[in-house]
Amino acid sequence: MPTHHSNILITGGAGFIGSHVVRLFVHNFPESQIINLDKLTYAGNLANVADLEGKPNYLFVQADICDAQTLDALFERWKPTAVVHLAAESHVDRSIHEPNVFLQTNIIGTTQLMNVCLKHWGENLSNKLFYHISTDEVYGSLGPEGYFREETPYAPQSPYSASKAAADHLVRAFGNTYGLPFIISNCSNNYGPYQFPEKLIPLCINNLVHRRPLPVYGKGENIRDWLYVEDHAEAILTIFQHGRLGHTYLIGGRNEWRNIDLVRRLCQIYDTINPFGHRDSEKLITFVKDRPGHDLRYAIDPTKIEQELGWKPRTTMDDGLRRTIQWYLDNQKWLQGVVSCAYRDYYRQMYEER
Ligand code: NAD
Ligand code: DAU
């Protein structure tokens, strides 16, 4: 029987995955107050959760997870008994250019949040939960064979993944040292609506619409294991309700793609939808300078979550890509809103000046 939490704090709920998680929790827990705490960095956007405004069990708070005083006041006022922690700096390329903010938010911020949980939960740690959302990148890079499993040793290779790995270690250390009741899940690459167009799939969709080159790093041979974001949100809900304390769950869709094959498939589906009479989109594919230290392959063995919790993804890749392309086509206003001056500067620096 899952524990009832009157107040649930979700961090990073104005971001890509967080917005889907907040929406699912608001709908699934009508008797709980869902508090969405987000700093609203360049990646956070209240338009991602605009449909939730005015719902009686939903509340948004703009705050930085590094700001202990504000967290303290929030815990004093709302007394959340469960935290689902997604707030993070999340883009690998940005971490290569500017690692410090990743250390600040992903490591210090996560620690501040746990400190505040312990302070307010005190000795009474029963029926409490700190659920930390992490990534498969903490396990490093695979060769052509093998899979990441819960017991795979950590071997992060980018500033982003190293900062997430450090956070995971700290969560386990707080569990071991102070008894913090925690769960960690590590997921593979997500795609779907509301993803910021710095990540491969939405960046390519935006470029397809504007007939700009589709930049594929290196030879496009790197492999990622893709999961539709709503399937990830459902996995998080399942783990939140039924996961075992102190456990780690790996989440993935058994869905590996070489980048070049994925971008080709995206072009084919885009051409089938054919929104503006565009065709031959594959001609836009352009190989560009590789990402430094580019991990070759990620692949998850999701046996534990499948067998223990009965979770499986519902969305096939073609269906997920079609829905994603259609969403971006239907939400050009959203896209224009996030493709600001700052985004144009980033794009120029990343793709045109190197
Ligand atoms: P995102 O970049 O889209 O969103 C991150 C959110 O966190 C934004 O709303 C941002 O404003 C907020 N945020 C950043 N710094 C903050 C701070 N200091 N205080 C409060 N809020 C802050 O990220 P995403 O892709 O939705 O990823 C969410 C989480 O899931 C991250 O922890 C990420 O590591 C993890 N994850 C992502 C993927 C993926 O494919 N995107 C896969 C596995 C795990
Ligand atoms: O595996 C989970 C991780 O997936 C998450 O933890 C990260 O937050 C998320 O950003 C994602 O990391 P990746 O680096 O795998 O995602 P990205 O979309 O940036 O890149 C996917 C692949 O495509 C990767 O091999 C790099 C490549 N790529 C990316 C971009 C932006 C290109 O070839 N061209 C591009 O322009």
Side-chain angles (χ1 to χ4, degrees):
M1 184 68 183
T3 310
H4 171 75
H5 296 280
S6 299
N7 295 316
I8 302 170
L9 175 65
I10 300 180
T11 70
F16 164 49
I17 302 171
S19 62
H20 291 272
V21 172
V22 167
R23 186 169 298 107
L24 198 61
F25 275 55
V26 166
H27 291 304
N28 274 272
F29 301 117
E31 306 298 322
S32 303
Q33 184 70 34
I34 309 299
I35 304 151
N36 173 9
L37 180 148
D38 197 297
K39 183 180 176 182
L40 299 181
T41 67
Y42 79 91
N45 186 350
L46 282 181
N48 299 3
V49 279
D51 55 316
L52 300 177
E53 268 169 43
K55 298 250 184 244
N57 67 330
Y58 172 72
L59 177 78
F60 175 75
V61 176
Q62 183 171 6
D64 187 333
I65 54 165
C66 301
D67 175 356
Q69 250 185 330
T70 304
L71 292 179
D72 200 36
L74 185 142
F75 270 69
E76 192 61 45
R77 166 73 183 82
W78 290 100
K79 302 186 174 30
T81 51
V83 176
V84 184
H85 174 40
L86 295 106
E89 289 292 336
S90 70
H91 191 39
V92 174
D93 292 318
R94 287 186 191 257
S95 81
I96 293 168
H97 289 284
E98 211 185 339
N100 289 19
V101 64
F102 285 71
L103 311 190
Q104 184 63 24
T105 286
N106 299 359
I107 306 176
I108 305 295
T110 301
T111 309
Q112 294 288 29
L113 200 53
M114 291 190 293
N115 283 335
V116 176
C117 288
L118 286 174
K119 177 177 167 194
H120 286 263
W121 293 346
E123 300 289 301
N124 183 11
L125 291 169
S126 60
N127 301 330
K128 306 290 191 303
L129 174 62
F130 186 87
Y131 179 6
H132 176 64
I133 307 300
S134 191
T135 169
D136 61 357
E137 299 198 11
V138 298
Y139 298 111
S141 180
L142 291 165
E145 305 286 324
Y147 295 94
F148 297 138
R149 297 197 172 82
E150 282 76 7
E151 60 280 7
T152 302
Y154 275 39
Q157 308 215 83
S158 73
Y160 162 68
S161 56
S163 70
K164 291 294 291 187
D168 292 13
H169 288 318
L170 282 158
V171 173
R172 292 196 182 94
F174 270 57
N176 181 59
T177 310
Y178 309 114
L180 181 78
F182 75 89
I183 298 179
I184 299 177
S185 60
N186 300 73
C187 189
S188 61
N189 283 61
N190 285 217
Y191 70 101
Y194 299 112
Q195 188 167 32
F196 195 82
E198 63 191 351
K199 308 277 165 63
L200 179 67
I201 289 180
L203 185 142
C204 285
I205 297 173
N206 189 29
N207 286 11
L208 277 165
V209 171
H210 295 99
R211 309 316 280 168
R212 281 200 296 260
L214 308 177
V216 173
Y217 295 165
K219 293 181 181 155
E221 286 170 349
N222 303 67
I223 294 172
R224 297 292 183 264
D225 186 350
W226 292 93
L227 185 67
Y228 191 63
V229 63
E230 288 178 6
D231 286 323
H232 186 193
E234 281 187 10
I236 290 173
L237 177 66
T238 305
I239 292 169
F240 180 83
Q241 292 180 300
H242 305 290
R244 283 188 284 166
L245 287 182
H247 276 247
T248 295
Y249 295 88
L250 262 54
I251 309 170
R254 300 184 189 273
N255 183 33
E256 291 180 54
W257 287 75
R258 286 196 316 160
N259 290 341
I260 183 64
D261 298 330
L262 170 63
V263 175
R264 284 196 185 119
R265 191 78 197 113
L266 195 68
C267 290
Q268 288 157 7
I269 297 177
Y270 180 86
D271 286 354
T272 319
I273 297 174
N274 192 12
F276 309 105
H278 293 153
R279 41 178 147 126
D280 294 333
S281 291
E282 285 186 44
K283 287 192 178 149
L284 294 173
I285 293 174
T286 310
F287 293 98
V288 300
K289 192 169 158 210
D290 209 351
R291 172 185 282 174
H294 196 173
D295 287 341
L296 178 66
R297 174 172 168 255
Y298 306 143
I300 294 262
D301 174 356
T303 304
K304 180 175 175 182
I305 185 170
E306 286 172 356
Q307 292 190 349
E308 189 178 312
L309 303 180
W311 172 88
K312 264 196 182 2
R314 297 170 196 256
T315 317
T316 62
M317 190 63 166
D318 273 6
D319 194 29
L321 287 177
R322 202 170 293 112
R323 283 162 69 180
T324 305
I325 294 170
Q326 195 61 57
W327 187 87
Y328 280 89
L329 290 171
D330 295 343
N331 289 275
Q332 286 291 306
K333 227 171 112 190
W334 179 92
L335 197 53
Q336 290 320 313
V338 299
V339 186
S340 62
C341 288
Y343 177 83
R344 280 199 290 275
D345 290 346
Y346 167 81
Y347 197 90
R348 204 171 300 123
Q349 197 191 350
M350 267 297 298
Y351 295 97
E352 289 162 14
E353 291 171 4
R354 57 184 216 161

